[in-house]
Amino acid sequence: MPMYTVYKRFENSITIFAVLCGAIVLWEIGVRAGNVKPFILPAPSAVLVEMWHRKAYYLVEASFTLSTTLLGFFLALVLGIVLAISIVYSRFLERTLYTLLVAMNSVPKVALAPLFVIWLGTDAAPKVAIAMMIALFPIVIDAVLGLRSVDPDQIDLARSMRATQLQILLKIRFPNALAHIFAGTKVAISFALVGAIVGEFVAGDTGLGHVILSAQGMFETPAVFAAIIMLGIMGTLLFYTVSFIERLVMPWHVSQRSPHRHKIGM
């Protein structure tokens, strides 16, 4: 990686960290100066104390939410790519399944969550199913777009060389679709986390969603903020993990090149 790119990323990280620290300081000053009651808006120091004193509890609950999120995301990724390939190669599925997916995506997932509880029970299954359902749509949409965004001349050339449909898929369509698939997965991983929390809200006695509901019922606002902070950290790490995997898988793609390379002659 060019040194200029490393420097710019480090500089951006420092800027973001400084902005976050400034916002926390202003939050602390505002709460103390305004004498705001803790159950309405706790000070950041109170939230940090809550997280530190019960760190084992929050880590355990976060592990439940993380496992649900990752399992739902993995199922959505596998199923989404299979559905995208089927839609690209079948006009019938394009007219039926694709339309059904669009219709299902238009329905609020919170409204469907109680049905999953009735069908699958109150254990981890409905939460995984909700996470998968929410994460599925962006993967299918972006994968279909990527698989179709191939130069027809490349397909014709491959067919003239007697390439099979499987060879065209694996060596032309799929590599061309990688950028679109990763774009969909970065959206889907965040959606999967949202789905896991929705499932924990509706039916669950574990996870950060359950922590938020329990703390809200007892007006333990610092605990609510602690769980929300844990969710924010988790979502950020998941997003950048997918971005890191994207750089490893396709370092050759134009999206992974430094935007300043041409300016500095690299």
Side-chain angles (χ1 to χ4, degrees):
M1 182 182 295
M3 290 301 298
Y4 183 80
T5 302
V6 174
Y7 170 76
K8 290 300 294 183
R9 290 182 178 177
F10 178 75
E11 184 182 32
N12 292 336
S13 300
I14 293 296
T15 302
I16 294 172
F17 180 75
V19 171
L20 288 176
C21 289
I24 292 173
V25 170
L26 290 177
W27 178 5
E28 182 80 25
I29 294 174
V31 169
R32 292 182 179 276
N35 197 23
V36 181
K37 295 181 179 180
F39 73 90
I40 295 178
L41 181 64
S45 57
V47 176
L48 292 177
V49 169
E50 166 69 20
M51 294 179 67
W52 176 253
H53 285 171
R54 304 175 67 190
K55 54 183 178 295
Y57 169 70
Y58 288 110
L59 289 175
V60 170
E61 298 300 324
S63 66
F64 287 114
T65 302
L66 179 62
S67 60
T68 301
T69 301
L70 291 178
L71 183 54
F73 169 74
F74 176 76
L75 293 175
L77 181 61
V78 174
L79 181 60
I81 292 177
V82 171
L83 290 177
I85 294 173
S86 303
I87 290 170
V88 169
Y89 281 94
S90 173
R91 189 170 297 275
F92 172 76
L93 291 178
E94 179 184 3
R95 294 176 178 175
T96 56
L97 183 59
Y98 197 71
T99 304
L100 179 62
L101 287 172
V102 173
M104 288 184 60
N105 187 66
S106 303
V107 178
K109 305 307 180 293
V110 178
L112 297 177
L115 290 176
F116 283 93
V117 176
I118 295 174
W119 295 335
L120 302 175
T122 57
D123 54 2
K127 291 176 279 189
V128 172
I130 296 169
M132 182 195 70
M133 183 179 62
I134 295 180
L136 181 64
F137 188 74
I139 293 177
V140 173
I141 293 298
D142 284 278
V144 168
L145 176 62
L147 291 170
R148 284 177 174 169
S149 300
V150 180
D151 189 350
D153 292 337
Q154 286 184 294
I155 304 295
D156 294 337
L157 178 61
R159 287 172 178 169
S160 68
M161 299 177 69
R162 298 183 180 180
T164 63
Q165 289 291 346
L166 181 60
Q167 289 174 326
I168 293 174
L169 173 64
L170 296 179
K171 297 184 178 181
I172 298 179
R173 288 190 182 273
F174 194 75
N176 183 80
L178 276 177
H180 294 83
I181 292 174
F182 273 108
T185 55
K186 284 188 280 191
V187 176
I189 192 67
S190 300
F191 281 7
L193 180 59
V194 172
I197 295 301
V198 169
E200 292 170 357
F201 280 167
V202 175
D205 54 2
T206 56
L208 293 175
H210 175 70
V211 171
I212 293 174
L213 281 184
S214 301
Q216 175 264 330
M218 294 182 289
F219 290 93
E220 295 180 352
T221 312
V224 175
F225 273 92
I228 292 174
I229 291 173
M230 292 289 291
L231 287 172
I233 295 173
M234 188 185 304
T236 303
L237 291 177
L238 289 173
F239 180 89
Y240 281 107
T241 299
V242 174
S243 297
F244 177 73
I245 295 173
E246 180 184 12
R247 288 196 296 271
L248 292 180
V249 172
M250 40 183 294
W252 44 265
H253 196 265
V254 65
S255 63
Q256 305 305 316
R257 300 173 189 169
S258 171
H260 306 282
R261 181 173 298 181
H262 298 292
K263 296 181 181 179
I264 58 178
M266 301 184 70

